[in-house]
Amino acid sequence: MNVVLGLNLMHADTSAALVVDGEVVAAISEERLGARIKHTSKFPMEAISFVLEYAGLSMTDVDYVAVARDPKANLREKVRWSMTNLKSSIPAFIEVLARNTRTEKKVNELKLLSQDSAGEPKFKFYPVEHHVAHISSSFYCTDTNEEYLGISYDASGDFVSVMTAICKKGEVLPSRRIFLPSSLGLFYTAMCQFIGFDRFGEEYKVMGLAPYGEDLYRAEMEKVISLKACGGFDLNPNYIRMHSGGRSGKQDDGSNIDMDLLYKPALSELLGRPLSRTDEDRERQINIAKSTQMMFERAALNYVEAEVRKHKATRLVMAGGSALNGVTNAKIYSNVNEVESVYLHPAAGDDGTAVGAALYCYNKEFEKINRYRNRLFSPYLGSEHSQDSVRNMLESKGVAFDVFSDEELYEIVAERILDSQVIGWFQGRSEWGPRALGNRSILADATNPRIKEIINSKIKRRESFRPFAPSILEEDVGIFFEQDIKSPYMMHVVKFRDEWRAKLPGVVHVDGTGRLQSVSAELNPRYHQLISTFKKRSGVGILLNTSFNENEPIVETPEQALSCFLRTDMDSLVLGNVVVSK
């Protein structure tokens, strides 16, 4: 047996993944466990314990601990930039040294923390360059007999913001890097901060706000980013700054990631005063959001198109935090004519590098694998809970419940959804990545004209401009959407066909789009059957799907699901075949 433990460390969204004989058997983000702090940068000891316990292993069974950071990568570029930017580079350099020391120290502490009767762990530390880990998370979860062009992009990792790699015959071979300070991720985050969304991980809110605006600031954005014919781009240092160092991954007293301010005062001279999230100047806020999204799309498409032409590629694998931009993902499909397929890892952000680092290490040190040649990579890699444990928990808390057969359950839940109920749907293993994909979901009727208002008032209490996602039977996608695209991990924002936009007010955004999840019987048979039953009753094979949480990480356990259910106005809670009603 060959075992690799993959980790994302010393930054937000720490996580752990376990690869056993080439198979990803478990993966989870630290935020789902323990103190349950969103985007936590805490060392993922809870996540490590979970993935090992799930596999019935201990650290003595682990051959390698693969970490998605390589301090030795891109040293020449780091030194070159530091020498020409001494004042700003010194704190960043000190931070990097300290972080690298802490990383190795923490990994080595695993040996001390996990000694058991089998003896002291003998694993080896295995650093993997950040973007190589990102690309590996996608490539090794596809048919590795095929040749792909791998693209990863985010704010930065190991001094790189964008990487292209040739992926073939089980190898990930980097062919191009764009180095800091040029970064589409830094640009997008800086603009998020400027219009008032200044907390870590709020880029998706700006993507949701953008459709309400007009691209009135295109000329100004082109002063911030200049595009090149080769696909590259330059970020104007007069407006956007790099991380200054000393704060990466730290969290304030409110458990929020302590972020640098990434825009400079000159941006206010270009765009006017900075805005707050509840600013009265709503029109300027939404228009800057629109221009930010449009500039990002133009830059991303310019890069992808240039790389596809250069390498004569037809198949892409993509990852990185910027690959969570579902609007851009859909436009790559529709606008880059040469591209026939794009695979995106469900945890495209930094949490997903734990899987990528582990799979890269396994393929380098043990064997070339092709575990996902004939089947889709399953994102259901978290915890699961037996029906006995669910019933015992509810009984211990004095909560009344009913138990139904599968057939009865689907009919009852479909009927309740049609009756305007909001359902907490808790099934099987939890999802890997930021999306609720039908195992830790809140479900409702997408055809109900008041359903968005109902959910936001009963449970979510979030910004009204943020859309809810449609979960659609995979075989029906072409009926509802202009692009007949498979999106099992909810990674594409696609336009609905005109005839359906008025009929699905719960999930159609202001611009006629929806963040699609295509549901297959192969990947999630229970969720597929529920939607099928709802379709028989309603004539529409779509459910509104949003994450099972209330301003917290997605629920992981039945206890957390019950707590969320009881403190909100959710109507029914379904835990496997156990139903709790109000």
Side-chain angles (χ1 to χ4, degrees):
M1 180 174 62
N2 298 313
V3 180
V4 181
L5 174 66
L7 302 177
N8 176 45
L9 293 178
M10 302 303 170
H11 193 260
D13 297 317
T14 55
S15 59
L18 197 69
V19 171
V20 179
D21 292 336
E23 182 92 10
V24 183
V25 297
I28 198 165
S29 295
E30 184 72 9
E31 71 165 29
R32 300 287 186 95
L33 306 167
R36 289 178 50 77
I37 298 171
K38 291 190 77 171
H39 301 300
T40 185
S41 57
K42 180 183 176 183
F43 185 81
M45 186 56 72
E46 297 273 358
I48 292 168
S49 298
F50 165 76
V51 297
L52 289 170
E53 183 178 349
Y54 183 87
L57 302 175
S58 72
M59 286 303 299
T60 56
D61 299 300
V62 175
D63 299 293
Y64 289 92
V65 174
V67 176
R69 176 181 293 114
D70 184 0
K72 297 178 181 178
N74 310 307
L75 276 176
R76 181 184 300 175
E77 288 73 20
K78 293 173 184 174
V79 171
R80 181 186 294 125
W81 184 84
S82 297
M83 294 302 292
T84 56
N85 298 272
L86 282 174
K87 184 177 180 180
S88 58
S89 68
I90 288 174
F93 182 71
I94 292 172
E95 177 194 352
V96 169
L97 287 178
R99 188 168 57 191
N100 293 340
T101 299
R102 291 199 310 272
T103 298
E104 292 199 38
K105 181 181 178 182
K106 283 290 187 181
V107 171
N108 286 326
E109 283 177 0
L110 288 174
K111 294 182 178 180
L112 300 176
L113 293 170
S114 55
Q115 292 186 46
D116 58 23
S117 59
E120 181 181 341
K122 303 294 184 182
F123 62 79
K124 297 177 182 178
F125 177 66
Y126 197 95
V128 179
E129 186 178 352
H130 179 82
H131 286 279
V132 170
H134 268 313
I135 292 172
S136 296
S137 72
S138 281
F139 175 55
Y140 292 118
C141 293
T142 60
D143 182 356
T144 54
N145 283 344
E146 300 288 350
E147 182 171 336
Y148 298 85
L149 189 68
I151 295 177
S152 169
Y153 63 138
D154 59 14
S156 68
D158 287 325
F159 209 69
V160 173
S161 68
V162 186
M163 175 184 284
T164 300
I166 307 302
C167 304
K168 61 180 181 179
K169 297 180 180 178
E171 297 282 355
V172 174
L173 306 170
S175 63
R176 184 180 184 183
R177 294 173 173 88
I178 292 181
F179 298 102
L180 291 176
S182 294
S183 168
L184 292 182
L186 285 182
F187 160 74
Y188 207 98
T189 300
M191 296 310 305
C192 290
Q193 292 177 340
F194 187 83
I195 65 174
F197 296 94
D198 55 356
R199 297 179 192 140
F200 185 90
E202 290 195 301
E203 288 83 359
Y204 68 98
K205 294 184 180 181
V206 174
M207 187 176 69
L209 184 62
Y212 291 87
E214 300 291 335
D215 188 12
L216 302 183
Y217 294 88
R218 176 168 181 155
E220 288 81 358
M221 293 298 167
E222 288 175 348
K223 294 180 180 178
V224 180
I225 292 184
S226 56
L227 305 185
K228 301 178 180 180
C230 66
F233 54 88
D234 287 322
L235 197 60
N236 192 328
N238 294 325
Y239 300 112
I240 308 294
R241 60 161 54 95
M242 281 176 52
H243 297 288
S244 62
R247 300 165 71 178
S248 178
K250 291 187 177 180
Q251 293 180 274
D252 61 23
D253 293 338
S255 298
N256 296 307
I257 295 292
D258 188 11
M259 296 177 66
D260 282 332
L261 188 67
L262 297 178
Y263 64 86
K264 293 184 177 181
L267 193 62
S268 300
E269 299 172 13
L270 186 68
L271 298 173
R273 66 172 177 82
L275 300 156
S276 68
R277 67 181 63 236
T278 57
D279 206 283
E280 293 181 359
D281 193 353
R282 191 67 164 174
E283 184 175 357
R284 189 161 66 96
Q285 186 181 47
I286 63 177
N287 289 334
I288 294 175
K290 178 69 171 184
S291 293
T292 295
Q293 175 65 25
M294 294 298 292
M295 186 72 245
F296 176 86
E297 290 173 19
R298 288 193 292 272
L301 285 167
N302 185 55
Y303 184 86
V304 172
E305 287 172 340
E307 290 297 284
V308 165
R309 286 195 305 269
K310 177 181 177 181
H311 296 282
K312 296 180 174 58
T314 59
R315 290 181 289 269
L316 299 180
V317 289
M318 297 185 69
S322 293
L324 289 168
N325 193 301
V327 177
T328 304
N329 293 340
K331 289 186 177 179
I332 289 171
Y333 260 119
S334 60
N335 292 14
V336 185
N337 295 328
E338 298 88 344
V339 172
E340 297 172 0
S341 69
V342 183
Y343 178 83
L344 295 131
H345 189 73
D350 283 353
D351 50 347
T353 60
V355 163
L359 287 172
Y360 180 84
C361 173
Y362 188 92
N363 277 264
K364 282 289 187 180
E365 299 303 318
F366 294 113
E367 60 176 331
K368 304 299 180 190
I369 59 169
N370 199 2
R371 296 286 188 263
Y372 302 100
R373 181 180 182 182
N374 296 313
R375 59 189 172 97
L376 192 62
F377 175 80
S378 173
Y380 306 106
L381 295 168
S383 66
E384 61 182 333
H385 305 269
S386 70
Q387 291 293 273
D388 284 344
S389 68
V390 168
R391 289 194 291 267
N392 291 339
M393 181 273 294
L394 294 173
E395 288 170 354
S396 71
K397 296 180 181 296
V399 176
F401 60 88
D402 297 297
V403 181
F404 300 99
S405 68
D406 284 351
E407 185 176 348
E408 292 171 328
L409 181 76
Y410 300 133
E411 293 290 344
I412 288 168
V413 173
E415 181 180 354
R416 292 187 182 189
I417 292 173
L418 269 174
D419 195 32
S420 299
Q421 286 200 20
V422 178
I423 308 293
W425 181 255
F426 184 105
Q427 304 289 321
R429 298 184 71 180
S430 63
E431 299 92 337
W432 168 237
R435 314 295 192 207
L437 301 174
N439 277 13
R440 302 289 186 275
S441 292
I442 293 172
L443 306 178
D445 180 6
T447 68
N448 186 330
R450 292 189 59 249
I451 199 63
K452 290 169 68 175
E453 176 190 340
I454 290 169
I455 294 175
N456 276 330
S457 64
K458 284 188 171 189
I459 303 158
K460 289 290 187 174
R461 301 177 177 91
R462 67 183 196 176
E463 298 92 345
S464 60
F465 63 81
R466 288 167 57 189
F468 293 108
S471 290
I472 302 179
L473 298 175
E474 182 179 271
E475 55 269 30
D476 287 352
V477 170
I479 296 173
F480 297 101
F481 284 96
E482 292 181 1
Q483 289 175 269
D484 191 354
I485 188 172
K486 290 184 179 180
S487 189
Y489 313 134
M490 205 182 287
M491 295 289 280
H492 301 86
V493 176
V494 188
K495 281 192 176 293
F496 277 95
R497 293 188 181 277
D498 290 342
E499 62 267 29
W500 286 102
R501 294 179 185 180
K503 299 175 182 177
L504 300 167
V507 293
V508 178
H509 204 21
V510 66
D511 59 349
T513 64
R515 194 177 71 199
L516 165 66
Q517 181 197 2
S518 55
V519 181
S520 69
E522 172 193 0
L523 202 57
N524 195 328
R526 289 180 69 81
Y527 195 33
H528 186 273
Q529 185 57 54
L530 175 64
I531 301 173
S532 297
T533 303
F534 182 81
K535 179 181 178 180
K536 289 177 183 177
R537 284 177 165 267
S538 68
V540 180
I542 293 180
L543 289 178
L544 181 154
N545 175 12
T546 188
S547 56
F548 198 152
N549 59 353
E550 182 206 19
N551 298 315
E552 61 180 329
I554 297 174
V555 299
E556 185 67 26
T557 67
E559 290 84 357
Q560 292 159 6
L562 178 65
S563 175
C564 184
F565 171 72
L566 293 175
R567 69 175 181 266
T568 65
D569 291 327
M570 211 178 305
D571 298 294
S572 298
L573 172 62
V574 183
L575 302 160
N577 289 65
V578 175
V579 178
V580 181
S581 307
K582 285 182 181 174

